[in-house]
Every structure is written in structure tokens, then in C-alpha cells.
Amino acid sequence: MTQFLIRLFIRQPDHAQDPKVRAAYGNLACWVGVACNLLLCLGKLTVGTLFGSIAIMADALNNLSDASSNVVSLVGFKLAGKAPDAEHPFGHARYEYLAGLVVSVTILGIGFSLLKESVVKVLHPTPVMFSWLTVAVLIASILVKLWMSGFNRTIGRIIGSETLIATAADSRNDVLSTSAVLIAAVLCRVTGWDVLDGLMGVGVAAFILISGWGLVMDTLSPLLGESPSEDLVDHIEQKVLSYPGVLGMHDLMVHDYGPGHQFASLHVELPAEQDPLEAHDLIDNIERDFLKNDRLLVTIHYDPIVTSDAAVGVLRARLAEKLRQLDPALSLHDLRIVPGRTHTNVLFDLVLPAGYAGDKVELLEQLEQFIKEQDTAYSCIIKVEQSYTAAHK
């Protein structure tokens, strides 16, 4: 069914990185979600009203909240597709994150409302009428939500949308909550304990609240400026280092302005003896490669590395090993040895992971002492920097 809908409604489905195709995928997922959730909501509201089940009513309102979430996501995809303008030169793709945040807060509000109603039902239980119609509607809901979870996950992976992947997880959660409601309906029938209906309603409400809170955290993170994914960092590093003559890279920064709108800057280390024009041409080629094949606008700074001085190479290797022993998350770059009349300056940049919990003063003292042990004439000058990518696990 998923592939059938894609072929039916998406033109050029293989070009998912194209903004128009991506928006078409998002719109398809949202409209399918609205239709399915409204049908499920109407069916459960009818059954819940007829047979007096607060748990089924709670599950119906959960589907209604999902439908409203799909509408908000639809608006988010529409706004995110707006072209850059003078006021927003980086585009409007962050609207997708804002839409996800609105959805998450809405889910929390409905969860609190359902929790209140369910607690009242626990304290003052009322009879629940059982029918096979109830069972049929709930089983149908479970099957539909299972399909919706796979559908949204597939679309979300195709276009790289955290919003749709979160929607897929929410549909999976709905399968569990609806299953709980079904179990409650059967148990009320078998045991006659009507309080079970209210208790299961509390469970469904709690599930909605937990899911909503998780979604709030997921959508807030990119808005606050989270670290780029480890996969993206690895991909950038491997591509840069694959070019002949590149000795290393550092100071990678990735700015996320919404799905498909990422910008990066980094420093590339090249031999200082290389012709500057050749180095510049190589850097241009790397930047064009990222833009053409990854839709990633990369700005690269050229760092010349002296490769003819053996002392620099030896000291760099020893320092790197020392840092690895102290903390594998530490790194260095731009090491230079500058001889003078009375002493020799050793200069380098020390990179600390964000949120480094160690004693920085003690760390610098250890490194200065280590440099002195290599040569008493060495005088250490260390520039401390922060890394803007998460340390590899």
C-alpha cells in the first residue's frame, strides 16, 4: 500500500532531496494521517458513547489529537518550503521543527485532560457495556495504526524527516495503548470490575503524556542547536580525507536551519610546501563536491602544515598519544615550533569537548610539563578551543 500511494501521488519519487519532491512526500504522509485518524476517532467516539467506556473515549481523543498533529505538520511542511527572502536568507525550513513542537505541546495538553477524566472514572466507576462491535473497532484500529507506523517510518527515512519518524513512533505507541483498551474491555466483561476501565484510561493518558514529553525534547533539541549526527560528521571527515594531499581536518561546525538546509565550515590541513594555487583549487573542488552531491554548503579554511620539519612530526605524534591517554575526547591541531634566542615556542590549539568536566588548569599544567620533558628549551603556548561536534562513542 505504501509504495502504491507513493507511485500514485509523488512525481519523481527517486528525487527525494529535491525540495518540491520532499514537500510532496510530507504532504502525502500528513493527509493520509488526517484521514485515518479522523475515521478511527469517529468510530471510537461512537462506540465509547454507546457503551460508556472512558478508556475508549480517551483512545478516540488520542486519535483526534493525532489528526490535529497531522494538520499542524502539514502547515509546517508548507511553510518550510518557502524560498529564502531578504529577512530569512537561510530559508524557512525550521518551521518543520516548530510544527513538531506545537504538535508535542498539544499532545501534552490532551494527555492531562484525559488523565483528569480517567481519575474521576477510577474514583466513581460506572458500568461499561460490552459488545463485539467494540472489539471489532479496536482490532481495526490496531491494524490501521500498525500500517501507519510503517508508512510514516518509510516516508520519514526517505526524506530524512524527524517529524515523520516521531509520528511513526507515536503510531506504534497507539498500537500499545489501544491494545490496553481492548484488554480492559474484555476484563471488565469477564470480571465485572468496572474500575478497570478508568484504570486503563489512566494508563492511556500516562502513555500519551510520556510520548508527548519525548516529542517535546526531540523537537526542541535542533531548535536549541544540537550537535550534528555522528553519521554526518563521519561522512564529512571521510569525504574530505579521501582527497589526495589532505593531511587532516578540524574545527568542523554544522549549522542546521531545518531539514535540507544545513551549512558547514571546517579547516583542512594541507602541506605548507604545496603551491597555494593548487591548494585553493583543491579546496574549491571539495566545496563543490559537497554542494553537488550532499546539498551541503561548506566553507573551508586552508591550514598549511609544515611536513619538512621532522621535530614537528615527532612532537605532534607524542602529544596526540599523551592526549589519548588523558582523555580520548581531547585533540590538537595547528602545532608549530618557533625557535628563538633564549627559548623555543611550541604553539598549538587544544580542542575540548563541549561540557568538558575535567580540571582545565590541571590539564594545561600536565601538557606544559610534558612539553618541557621533551626539550627543556620548549616554552608552551596553548590556545584552548571547544569542539562543536559530539565525541565519537
Side-chain angles (χ1 to χ4, degrees), residues 368-387:
E368 289 173 0
Q369 178 62 33
F370 179 77
I371 294 291
K372 276 289 185 184
E373 292 172 359
Q374 310 308 307
D375 190 322
T376 55
Y378 283 165
S379 178
C380 197
I381 302 175
I382 304 175
K383 177 185 175 184
V384 179
E385 295 181 350
Q386 174 191 304
S387 172

Side-chain angles (χ1 to χ4, degrees), residues 3 39 46 48 57-58 104 146 160-161 165 172 176 189 200 212 232 259 261 268 270 323 331:
Q3 293 302 321
L39 288 174
T46 301
M57 295 287 286
S104 306
L146 274 174
S161 171
I165 291 175
R172 180 200 61 207
L176 299 178
R189 168 71 171 177
M200 201 59 75
L232 177 60
H261 290 70
V268 166
L270 296 170
L323 290 175
S331 63

Side-chain angles (χ1 to χ4, degrees), residues 14 38 45 67 129 184 187 213 310 317:
D14 295 332
L38 283 179
L45 278 177
M129 297 175 62
L187 288 178
W213 181 251

